[in-house]
Amino acid sequence: MKRNKIALMTIVLGLGCTSAYAQDAAEDKGFWSALGTMDSSELMLLLMIMVMLGVLVMLLLLMIYLMSFIVTLLKQENPALANQPSWWESFKERFVFGKLKPVEEEDEIMLSHNYDGIRELDNFMPPWLTYLFYGSTIFAIFYLINYSAIGWGKTPEEEYQAQLKAEEIAAEKRKALALASIDESNVELDQSEFVLTAGADIYQNNCVACHAADGGGGVGPNFTDEYWLHGGSIKDVFKTVKYGIPDKGMIPWQDQLSPEEIMQVSNFILSMRGTTPANPKEPQGELYVPESDDGSDAADDSAMVKADTTMVGT
């Protein structure tokens, strides 16, 4: 009896320890990170809670031991109690195994089936399996009524569609957050049709008066040549549009356009480079040559090619 109780307690404690350590590495790392951010008062409170929990566990174990000790004493004083089964044995008989037939009474449940001398016993279904069968049947009835007649719960298809919609909303929020965080340090060149179409609308509504509809320039510089006053990369153009050049009459657009809109119109401005405007303004600023794919300056490559050609001619 004592061995059974000790084994049961060991299993329960083992399951508790297993569940406590069955966390993934990310959760463990998050716990230790949060623990490192606690101040002294929070750590002291956590330590007190752990000590109290430890004391409660010790009191529970002590109570179980005292109960077992009292039951043992009662059985020694009253022999009639010694012949009665323990609560664990009663529990197993009622809910787990049931009351099995003794070996000498197996003839009563022996079936006529004979398989090479092996006989079959007509044993009853274990109580736990019986309760599971009854519970499954009741659950199935309520499940069928709920999803087929009442319709209170969502079907798997409805749950799937709800999850898809929730993820779509979350993706839109993530996209909006990413677009709102665009600035001159992380903006990228995007010549997709959607971006250029949106940028063209913004350009026609805000930039035509100073730079002409075809980008040839007017009060402002020409966007179609290779010369730029304040840099010709996407980051340079974004910065110029965002903060403006107040000394030269270029207003900052960060209060009127969102970061996404500034990105779109900046990409559209760069898409006008190399086009032929009707009345182009003379080049202004410095020659800008985009970097090549390997990160080297294309201007240096052009200079090397020109030098090689000169040497060949000589």
Side-chain angles (χ1 to χ4, degrees), residues 101-141:
K101 283 279 187 181
V103 176
E104 55 272 12
E105 298 180 6
E106 287 185 349
D107 292 338
E108 300 177 5
I109 57 175
M110 187 78 69
L111 297 177
S112 59
H113 302 159
N114 190 328
Y115 304 96
D116 295 332
I118 300 175
R119 304 294 296 273
E120 182 181 357
L121 298 178
D122 187 17
N123 282 315
F124 56 86
M125 184 181 295
W128 68 268
L129 188 57
T130 304
Y131 297 142
L132 181 62
F133 174 75
Y134 291 154
S136 301
T137 303
I138 295 173
F139 175 81
I141 293 174

Short mmCIF file of all heavy atoms in Angstrom, two decimals, residues 101-141:
data_model
loop_
_atom_site.label_atom_id
_atom_site.label_comp_id
_atom_site.label_asym_id
_atom_site.label_seq_id
_atom_site.Cartn_x
_atom_site.Cartn_y
_atom_site.Cartn_z
N LYS A 101 -13.25 -11.15 -11.86
CA LYS A 101 -13.61 -12.47 -11.36
C LYS A 101 -12.35 -13.18 -10.86
O LYS A 101 -11.29 -13.12 -11.50
CB LYS A 101 -14.23 -13.30 -12.48
CG LYS A 101 -15.68 -12.94 -12.80
CD LYS A 101 -16.63 -13.58 -11.82
CE LYS A 101 -18.07 -13.38 -12.25
NZ LYS A 101 -19.01 -13.98 -11.27
N PRO A 102 -12.44 -13.85 -9.74
CA PRO A 102 -11.29 -14.66 -9.31
C PRO A 102 -11.02 -15.77 -10.31
O PRO A 102 -11.87 -16.15 -11.11
CB PRO A 102 -11.75 -15.24 -7.95
CG PRO A 102 -12.86 -14.34 -7.50
CD PRO A 102 -13.52 -13.85 -8.76
N VAL A 103 -9.81 -16.30 -10.26
CA VAL A 103 -9.41 -17.33 -11.23
C VAL A 103 -10.30 -18.56 -11.10
O VAL A 103 -10.68 -19.18 -12.10
CB VAL A 103 -7.92 -17.68 -11.01
CG1 VAL A 103 -7.51 -18.83 -11.95
CG2 VAL A 103 -7.05 -16.48 -11.23
N GLU A 104 -10.66 -18.89 -9.86
CA GLU A 104 -11.46 -20.10 -9.68
C GLU A 104 -12.89 -19.95 -10.18
O GLU A 104 -13.61 -20.95 -10.34
CB GLU A 104 -11.48 -20.51 -8.20
CG GLU A 104 -11.96 -19.42 -7.25
CD GLU A 104 -10.83 -18.52 -6.78
OE1 GLU A 104 -9.73 -18.60 -7.36
OE2 GLU A 104 -11.07 -17.71 -5.86
N GLU A 105 -13.33 -18.71 -10.46
CA GLU A 105 -14.69 -18.48 -10.96
C GLU A 105 -14.72 -18.11 -12.45
O GLU A 105 -15.76 -17.69 -12.96
CB GLU A 105 -15.36 -17.37 -10.15
CG GLU A 105 -15.52 -17.69 -8.67
CD GLU A 105 -16.18 -16.56 -7.91
OE1 GLU A 105 -16.61 -15.58 -8.58
OE2 GLU A 105 -16.27 -16.62 -6.67
N GLU A 106 -13.60 -18.24 -13.14
CA GLU A 106 -13.55 -17.87 -14.56
C GLU A 106 -14.39 -18.79 -15.43
O GLU A 106 -14.73 -18.42 -16.56
CB GLU A 106 -12.09 -17.87 -15.04
CG GLU A 106 -11.28 -16.69 -14.52
CD GLU A 106 -9.88 -16.66 -15.11
OE1 GLU A 106 -9.50 -17.67 -15.75
OE2 GLU A 106 -9.20 -15.64 -14.94
N ASP A 107 -14.72 -20.00 -14.93
CA ASP A 107 -15.55 -20.90 -15.73
C ASP A 107 -16.92 -20.31 -16.01
O ASP A 107 -17.56 -20.64 -17.02
CB ASP A 107 -15.72 -22.24 -15.01
CG ASP A 107 -14.40 -23.00 -14.95
OD1 ASP A 107 -13.53 -22.72 -15.80
OD2 ASP A 107 -14.24 -23.86 -14.07
N GLU A 108 -17.37 -19.40 -15.15
CA GLU A 108 -18.68 -18.80 -15.34
C GLU A 108 -18.73 -17.85 -16.53
O GLU A 108 -19.81 -17.62 -17.09
CB GLU A 108 -19.09 -18.06 -14.06
CG GLU A 108 -19.17 -18.95 -12.83
CD GLU A 108 -19.50 -18.15 -11.58
OE1 GLU A 108 -19.76 -16.92 -11.73
OE2 GLU A 108 -19.51 -18.72 -10.48
N ILE A 109 -17.58 -17.26 -16.88
CA ILE A 109 -17.55 -16.31 -18.00
C ILE A 109 -16.74 -16.86 -19.18
O ILE A 109 -16.36 -16.11 -20.07
CB ILE A 109 -16.97 -14.96 -17.55
CG1 ILE A 109 -15.57 -15.14 -16.96
CG2 ILE A 109 -17.88 -14.28 -16.56
CD1 ILE A 109 -14.89 -13.82 -16.62
N MET A 110 -16.46 -18.14 -19.15
CA MET A 110 -15.70 -18.76 -20.23
C MET A 110 -16.60 -18.94 -21.46
O MET A 110 -17.70 -19.48 -21.36
CB MET A 110 -15.15 -20.11 -19.79
CG MET A 110 -14.20 -20.75 -20.79
SD MET A 110 -12.55 -20.02 -20.73
CE MET A 110 -11.99 -20.60 -19.14
N LEU A 111 -16.14 -18.48 -22.61
CA LEU A 111 -16.88 -18.64 -23.86
C LEU A 111 -16.51 -19.95 -24.53
O LEU A 111 -15.50 -20.59 -24.20
CB LEU A 111 -16.60 -17.46 -24.79
CG LEU A 111 -17.04 -16.08 -24.27
CD1 LEU A 111 -16.63 -15.00 -25.26
CD2 LEU A 111 -18.54 -16.04 -24.03
N SER A 112 -17.30 -20.34 -25.50
CA SER A 112 -17.07 -21.62 -26.19
C SER A 112 -16.00 -21.51 -27.27
O SER A 112 -15.65 -22.50 -27.88
CB SER A 112 -18.40 -22.11 -26.81
OG SER A 112 -18.90 -21.13 -27.73
N HIS A 113 -15.52 -20.31 -27.51
CA HIS A 113 -14.49 -20.15 -28.53
C HIS A 113 -13.19 -20.82 -28.09
O HIS A 113 -12.78 -20.69 -26.93
CB HIS A 113 -14.24 -18.67 -28.80
CG HIS A 113 -15.47 -17.94 -29.23
ND1 HIS A 113 -15.60 -16.58 -29.14
CD2 HIS A 113 -16.64 -18.38 -29.76
CE1 HIS A 113 -16.79 -16.20 -29.57
NE2 HIS A 113 -17.44 -17.30 -29.95
N ASN A 114 -12.58 -21.49 -29.02
CA ASN A 114 -11.33 -22.19 -28.71
C ASN A 114 -10.36 -21.97 -29.86
O ASN A 114 -10.63 -22.36 -30.99
CB ASN A 114 -11.59 -23.68 -28.50
CG ASN A 114 -10.38 -24.39 -27.93
OD1 ASN A 114 -9.25 -24.03 -28.22
ND2 ASN A 114 -10.64 -25.44 -27.15
N TYR A 115 -9.24 -21.34 -29.57
CA TYR A 115 -8.24 -21.06 -30.60
C TYR A 115 -6.95 -21.77 -30.21
O TYR A 115 -6.16 -21.27 -29.40
CB TYR A 115 -7.98 -19.55 -30.73
CG TYR A 115 -9.22 -18.75 -31.01
CD1 TYR A 115 -9.91 -18.13 -29.98
CD2 TYR A 115 -9.69 -18.62 -32.31
CE1 TYR A 115 -11.06 -17.41 -30.23
CE2 TYR A 115 -10.84 -17.90 -32.56
CZ TYR A 115 -11.53 -17.29 -31.52
OH TYR A 115 -12.66 -16.56 -31.77
N ASP A 116 -6.76 -22.96 -30.74
CA ASP A 116 -5.57 -23.76 -30.44
C ASP A 116 -5.37 -23.91 -28.93
O ASP A 116 -4.26 -23.78 -28.40
CB ASP A 116 -4.32 -23.13 -31.06
CG ASP A 116 -4.38 -23.12 -32.57
OD1 ASP A 116 -5.06 -24.02 -33.12
OD2 ASP A 116 -3.77 -22.24 -33.21
N GLY A 117 -6.46 -24.16 -28.25
CA GLY A 117 -6.37 -24.36 -26.81
C GLY A 117 -6.49 -23.10 -25.99
O GLY A 117 -6.49 -23.16 -24.75
N ILE A 118 -6.56 -21.96 -26.64
CA ILE A 118 -6.71 -20.69 -25.93
C ILE A 118 -8.18 -20.35 -25.87
O ILE A 118 -8.85 -20.23 -26.90
CB ILE A 118 -5.92 -19.58 -26.65
CG1 ILE A 118 -4.43 -19.92 -26.71
CG2 ILE A 118 -6.11 -18.25 -25.92
CD1 ILE A 118 -3.61 -18.94 -27.51
N ARG A 119 -8.72 -20.22 -24.65
CA ARG A 119 -10.13 -19.92 -24.45
C ARG A 119 -10.32 -18.42 -24.22
O ARG A 119 -9.41 -17.71 -23.78
CB ARG A 119 -10.68 -20.70 -23.26
CG ARG A 119 -10.48 -22.20 -23.34
CD ARG A 119 -11.28 -22.81 -24.48
NE ARG A 119 -12.71 -22.64 -24.25
CZ ARG A 119 -13.44 -23.50 -23.54
NH1 ARG A 119 -12.88 -24.57 -23.00
NH2 ARG A 119 -14.74 -23.29 -23.40
N GLU A 120 -11.51 -17.93 -24.52
CA GLU A 120 -11.82 -16.51 -24.40
C GLU A 120 -12.77 -16.27 -23.24
O GLU A 120 -13.75 -17.00 -23.06
CB GLU A 120 -12.46 -16.00 -25.70
CG GLU A 120 -12.79 -14.52 -25.68
CD GLU A 120 -13.44 -14.06 -26.97
OE1 GLU A 120 -13.59 -14.91 -27.89
OE2 GLU A 120 -13.84 -12.89 -27.06
N LEU A 121 -12.45 -15.25 -22.42
CA LEU A 121 -13.29 -14.88 -21.30
C LEU A 121 -14.20 -13.73 -21.70
O LEU A 121 -13.79 -12.80 -22.39
CB LEU A 121 -12.44 -14.47 -20.10
CG LEU A 121 -11.53 -15.54 -19.51
CD1 LEU A 121 -10.73 -14.96 -18.35
CD2 LEU A 121 -12.33 -16.76 -19.06
N ASP A 122 -15.45 -13.82 -21.25
CA ASP A 122 -16.42 -12.76 -21.53
C ASP A 122 -16.33 -11.70 -20.42
O ASP A 122 -17.24 -11.53 -19.60
CB ASP A 122 -17.83 -13.35 -21.61
CG ASP A 122 -18.85 -12.31 -22.05
OD1 ASP A 122 -18.43 -11.25 -22.60
OD2 ASP A 122 -20.05 -12.53 -21.84
N ASN A 123 -15.20 -11.00 -20.36
CA ASN A 123 -15.01 -9.96 -19.35
C ASN A 123 -15.84 -8.72 -19.68
O ASN A 123 -16.17 -8.46 -20.84
CB ASN A 123 -13.54 -9.57 -19.27
CG ASN A 123 -12.72 -10.59 -18.49
OD1 ASN A 123 -13.15 -11.03 -17.42
ND2 ASN A 123 -11.56 -10.97 -19.02
N PHE A 124 -16.17 -7.97 -18.66
CA PHE A 124 -16.95 -6.74 -18.83
C PHE A 124 -16.02 -5.62 -19.32
O PHE A 124 -14.79 -5.71 -19.21
CB PHE A 124 -17.61 -6.34 -17.51
CG PHE A 124 -16.64 -6.18 -16.38
CD1 PHE A 124 -15.97 -5.00 -16.16
CD2 PHE A 124 -16.37 -7.26 -15.53
CE1 PHE A 124 -15.07 -4.86 -15.14
CE2 PHE A 124 -15.46 -7.12 -14.50
CZ PHE A 124 -14.80 -5.93 -14.29
N MET A 125 -16.64 -4.60 -19.84
CA MET A 125 -15.87 -3.43 -20.28
C MET A 125 -15.33 -2.68 -19.04
O MET A 125 -16.07 -2.48 -18.08
CB MET A 125 -16.73 -2.49 -21.12
CG MET A 125 -15.98 -1.30 -21.68
SD MET A 125 -17.06 -0.20 -22.65
CE MET A 125 -17.51 -1.27 -24.00
N PRO A 126 -14.06 -2.25 -19.06
CA PRO A 126 -13.53 -1.51 -17.91
C PRO A 126 -14.35 -0.25 -17.65
O PRO A 126 -14.86 0.38 -18.59
CB PRO A 126 -12.11 -1.15 -18.36
CG PRO A 126 -11.77 -2.16 -19.39
CD PRO A 126 -13.06 -2.49 -20.09
N PRO A 127 -14.52 0.11 -16.38
CA PRO A 127 -15.36 1.28 -16.08
C PRO A 127 -14.90 2.56 -16.77
O PRO A 127 -15.73 3.34 -17.26
CB PRO A 127 -15.25 1.40 -14.55
CG PRO A 127 -14.92 0.02 -14.09
CD PRO A 127 -14.08 -0.58 -15.17
N TRP A 128 -13.58 2.78 -16.84
CA TRP A 128 -13.10 4.02 -17.46
C TRP A 128 -13.50 4.08 -18.92
O TRP A 128 -13.84 5.15 -19.45
CB TRP A 128 -11.58 4.15 -17.31
CG TRP A 128 -10.79 3.14 -18.09
CD1 TRP A 128 -10.36 1.93 -17.68
CD2 TRP A 128 -10.35 3.28 -19.45
NE1 TRP A 128 -9.68 1.27 -18.66
CE2 TRP A 128 -9.66 2.09 -19.78
CE3 TRP A 128 -10.47 4.26 -20.42
CZ2 TRP A 128 -9.09 1.88 -21.02
CZ3 TRP A 128 -9.90 4.05 -21.66
CH2 TRP A 128 -9.21 2.88 -21.96
N LEU A 129 -13.47 2.91 -19.60
CA LEU A 129 -13.85 2.89 -21.01
C LEU A 129 -15.36 3.06 -21.16
O LEU A 129 -15.83 3.69 -22.12
CB LEU A 129 -13.39 1.58 -21.63
CG LEU A 129 -13.53 1.45 -23.15
CD1 LEU A 129 -12.77 2.58 -23.85
CD2 LEU A 129 -13.01 0.11 -23.63
N THR A 130 -16.11 2.53 -20.21
CA THR A 130 -17.57 2.72 -20.23
C THR A 130 -17.93 4.19 -20.08
O THR A 130 -18.77 4.73 -20.83
CB THR A 130 -18.22 1.90 -19.12
OG1 THR A 130 -17.84 0.53 -19.25
CG2 THR A 130 -19.74 2.02 -19.17
N TYR A 131 -17.30 4.85 -19.09
CA TYR A 131 -17.58 6.28 -18.88
C TYR A 131 -17.15 7.10 -20.09
O TYR A 131 -17.81 8.07 -20.48
CB TYR A 131 -16.85 6.77 -17.63
CG TYR A 131 -17.32 6.10 -16.36
CD1 TYR A 131 -16.42 5.77 -15.36
CD2 TYR A 131 -18.66 5.79 -16.18
CE1 TYR A 131 -16.85 5.15 -14.19
CE2 TYR A 131 -19.10 5.17 -15.01
CZ TYR A 131 -18.18 4.85 -14.02
OH TYR A 131 -18.62 4.24 -12.87
N LEU A 132 -16.03 6.71 -20.71
CA LEU A 132 -15.58 7.42 -21.89
C LEU A 132 -16.57 7.26 -23.04
O LEU A 132 -16.86 8.22 -23.78
CB LEU A 132 -14.20 6.90 -22.31
CG LEU A 132 -13.56 7.56 -23.54
CD1 LEU A 132 -13.32 9.05 -23.29
CD2 LEU A 132 -12.24 6.87 -23.90
N PHE A 133 -17.11 6.05 -23.19
CA PHE A 133 -18.10 5.80 -24.24
C PHE A 133 -19.35 6.64 -24.01
O PHE A 133 -19.88 7.28 -24.92
CB PHE A 133 -18.43 4.31 -24.29
CG PHE A 133 -19.54 3.97 -25.24
CD1 PHE A 133 -19.33 3.94 -26.61
CD2 PHE A 133 -20.81 3.68 -24.76
CE1 PHE A 133 -20.36 3.64 -27.48
CE2 PHE A 133 -21.84 3.37 -25.63
CZ PHE A 133 -21.61 3.36 -27.00
N TYR A 134 -19.86 6.65 -22.76
CA TYR A 134 -21.05 7.43 -22.45
C TYR A 134 -20.80 8.92 -22.67
O TYR A 134 -21.64 9.64 -23.24
CB TYR A 134 -21.48 7.19 -21.00
CG TYR A 134 -22.01 5.80 -20.74
CD1 TYR A 134 -21.94 5.24 -19.46
CD2 TYR A 134 -22.59 5.04 -21.75
CE1 TYR A 134 -22.42 3.96 -19.22
CE2 TYR A 134 -23.07 3.77 -21.53
CZ TYR A 134 -22.99 3.23 -20.25
OH TYR A 134 -23.46 1.96 -20.01
N GLY A 135 -19.64 9.39 -22.20
CA GLY A 135 -19.32 10.81 -22.37
C GLY A 135 -19.20 11.20 -23.83
O GLY A 135 -19.67 12.26 -24.25
N SER A 136 -18.57 10.33 -24.65
CA SER A 136 -18.43 10.61 -26.08
C SER A 136 -19.78 10.65 -26.77
O SER A 136 -20.03 11.48 -27.65
CB SER A 136 -17.52 9.56 -26.74
OG SER A 136 -16.24 9.56 -26.13
N THR A 137 -20.67 9.72 -26.35
CA THR A 137 -22.01 9.69 -26.95
C THR A 137 -22.79 10.96 -26.63
O THR A 137 -23.41 11.58 -27.51
CB THR A 137 -22.78 8.47 -26.45
OG1 THR A 137 -22.03 7.27 -26.74
CG2 THR A 137 -24.14 8.38 -27.11
N ILE A 138 -22.75 11.38 -25.36
CA ILE A 138 -23.46 12.61 -24.96
C ILE A 138 -22.88 13.82 -25.68
O ILE A 138 -23.61 14.69 -26.19
CB ILE A 138 -23.38 12.78 -23.43
CG1 ILE A 138 -24.14 11.64 -22.74
CG2 ILE A 138 -23.95 14.14 -23.02
CD1 ILE A 138 -23.98 11.63 -21.24
N PHE A 139 -21.54 13.88 -25.75
CA PHE A 139 -20.89 14.99 -26.44
C PHE A 139 -21.28 15.02 -27.92
O PHE A 139 -21.52 16.09 -28.49
CB PHE A 139 -19.38 14.88 -26.29
CG PHE A 139 -18.62 15.92 -27.07
CD1 PHE A 139 -18.46 17.21 -26.57
CD2 PHE A 139 -18.05 15.62 -28.30
CE1 PHE A 139 -17.77 18.17 -27.28
CE2 PHE A 139 -17.36 16.57 -29.01
CZ PHE A 139 -17.22 17.85 -28.50
N ALA A 140 -21.32 13.84 -28.55
CA ALA A 140 -21.67 13.78 -29.97
C ALA A 140 -23.09 14.26 -30.21
O ALA A 140 -23.36 14.95 -31.21
CB ALA A 140 -21.49 12.35 -30.48
N ILE A 141 -24.01 13.93 -29.29
CA ILE A 141 -25.40 14.37 -29.46
C ILE A 141 -25.49 15.90 -29.37
O ILE A 141 -26.10 16.55 -30.23
CB ILE A 141 -26.29 13.71 -28.40
CG1 ILE A 141 -26.37 12.19 -28.65
CG2 ILE A 141 -27.69 14.33 -28.40
CD1 ILE A 141 -27.10 11.43 -27.57
#
